[in-house]
Each structure stands twice: as C-alpha cells, then as structure tokens.
Amino acid sequence: MNTVVDQHVRIEPNILYFGTPVVLISTVNEDGSPNLAPMSSAFWLGWRGMLGLGARSKTCQNLVRTGEGVLNLPSDALAPQVDRLALTTGSDPVPERKHQRGYRFVPDKFQRAGLTAVASETVAAPRVAECPVAMEVVVEETHPVGDGGVLAFEVRVQRVWVHEDIRMEGTDDHIDPDAWRPLIMSFQKLYGLGPQVHPSTLASIPERHYRSADLERARTL
C-alpha cells in the first residue's frame, strides 16, 4: 500500500489565474466605434458564459450600456496580436489604477492589434476575422463582485462562428479539439495547449445530449 505524503504549502498569491482561454471582447463605444479588449476570466455553461471584468473598464461600461458584444477566441498563433493590446485601454481619461500600472489610451484597438473587424449578424459589435471562434452574445444578468470593483456578466450566446479548419471533418456542428489550439493565459503569461494526455470517458457522450433551450432560441433570431 502506497502512502501519500501531503506536499501542499500555504501561500497567498495576488492573482489566481491558473490557466483559462484568452477572450478578445469586442463591444461598441458611445460614438459607434468598436472597442476590443483581452481578458481571461471567462467560462461557459451550455450556450451561456460568465465574464469577470473591472467595473471601470471600457468593455465593462459598453456591456452595461449596450447589453451585447462578441467573444472572440484567438488561437495560440495570434499571441503577438493579443499582446499588442496589453497595457492599452479604450477609456479616456485612463482610470487612475490603470494609469499607475502603465496603461495608455488607444482609440482604435483593432488597428493597434493588426486585426480585422467584420460585421456580426445579431449584435452591433464586430467579430474578429482572424479569431477561429467568435460568439455573438447578449447580457442576461450583471452581478457585482466583492466591493463592486468587479462585475460578473452572465451572457447568452446567439451565434457561434468558426473557421472551417477547426470543424471536425464530416460533421456540421462539432469542433475538432486536435485542430483547435486556443491561446491560454496562466498567471499573466501566454501559452498554447499540448497534445491530449489521456483518453476522456466524458468524450463518449454524444454532443447532442448537451443541446439546450438557449441553442434552440438562437435558431429563431
């Protein structure tokens, strides 16, 4: 019988970004121009997502005001473009805390990143043409977190767009996980995915069993 020795040590890291996909959120500013911002505090449940954003960020303000946006998922090949958006903000003047961290105002984030805006179908915010995945979303609920300095958005997906080369061959609606290489942020550093490390029992469940009412609702739009 093997004895497992507890190797944990207590620490107090300032951030807990253990590794999540990078999302480029596109929204529309008050003057109708597009804004684009990277974030990684996001996860999905069916055709809904949860996003965590600083309440004073331009993206957060745009989501509150317009109630819609696009979640663009870059591949690991787009890491240089994503990094060009680091330390930039669409807010003018720059919020004090961001100013202290070295942020500067950039009015055209698409140009700054070298990315292409293309029209969406159900929302005013544009998609990012270079991102292999883009999801048009509307805000369903907004929740303050802690002292209100962060807002959590529950968003509902209305359209999913993907590049043909990540769609599983011979299917209409399946993503090939061996072809899709998301950009991952772990403790503020950018990574890609490695190969599958072990067969997944969950993968034996047909995807049709996860079909939700939100997907059916999206078909009517």
Side-chain angles (χ1 to χ4, degrees):
M1 179 177 178
N2 293 329
T3 300
V4 177
V5 178
D6 185 2
Q7 300 183 56
H8 291 133
V9 294
R10 179 178 172 178
I11 66 171
E12 296 180 343
N14 290 307
I15 57 175
L16 297 175
Y17 291 151
F18 287 96
T20 50
V22 173
V23 183
L24 293 180
I25 304 183
S26 48
T27 55
V28 175
N29 298 319
E30 293 88 345
D31 62 1
S33 63
N35 187 57
L36 187 66
M39 58 89 74
S40 60
S41 297
F43 68 90
W44 289 267
L45 294 168
W47 271 46
R48 301 219 173 190
M50 290 299 299
L51 314 173
L53 294 163
R56 298 192 64 186
S57 72
K58 192 63 176 178
T59 295
C60 183
Q61 294 169 3
N62 287 346
L63 286 173
V64 169
R65 192 184 77 263
T66 68
E68 61 181 36
V70 180
L71 310 182
N72 304 278
L73 306 186
S75 68
D76 55 9
L78 293 173
Q81 288 87 336
V82 171
D83 196 52
R84 290 177 198 143
L85 294 173
L87 300 183
T88 69
T89 177
S91 295
D92 184 23
V94 177
E96 181 58 30
R97 288 193 66 184
K98 285 193 170 183
H99 178 73
Q100 293 172 357
R101 295 172 183 174
Y103 280 73
R104 63 189 179 88
F105 170 62
V106 173
D108 191 338
K109 298 284 204 70
F110 276 88
Q111 182 183 53
R112 168 67 181 170
L115 297 171
T116 308
V118 293
S120 296
E121 194 170 271
T122 68
V123 299
R127 292 177 280 126
V128 177
E130 291 83 0
C131 285
V133 179
M135 295 176 283
E136 300 176 20
V137 302
V138 292
V139 176
E140 290 285 350
E141 298 286 346
T142 304
H143 309 276
V145 177
D147 61 3
V150 171
L151 295 183
F153 293 90
E154 178 188 343
V155 298
R156 176 170 50 82
V157 178
Q158 299 194 139
R159 289 288 186 276
V160 177
W161 304 89
V162 302
H163 287 180
E164 183 64 33
D165 60 5
I166 69 167
R167 186 162 64 169
M168 187 172 291
E169 186 176 354
T171 71
D172 290 331
D173 300 316
H174 291 67
I175 303 299
D176 182 351
D178 289 320
W180 166 225
R181 315 313 296 169
L183 182 63
I184 303 295
M185 175 165 281
S186 178
F187 290 99
Q188 296 186 303
K189 294 187 178 182
L190 299 172
Y191 296 87
L193 286 182
Q196 182 179 198
V197 297
H198 192 276
S200 170
T201 301
L202 280 178
S204 66
I205 302 173
E207 284 192 27
R208 66 178 180 275
H209 290 301
Y210 295 99
R211 186 175 294 273
S212 68
D214 286 330
L215 189 157
E216 300 298 336
R217 180 177 178 181
R219 287 181 165 183
T220 66
L221 299 173

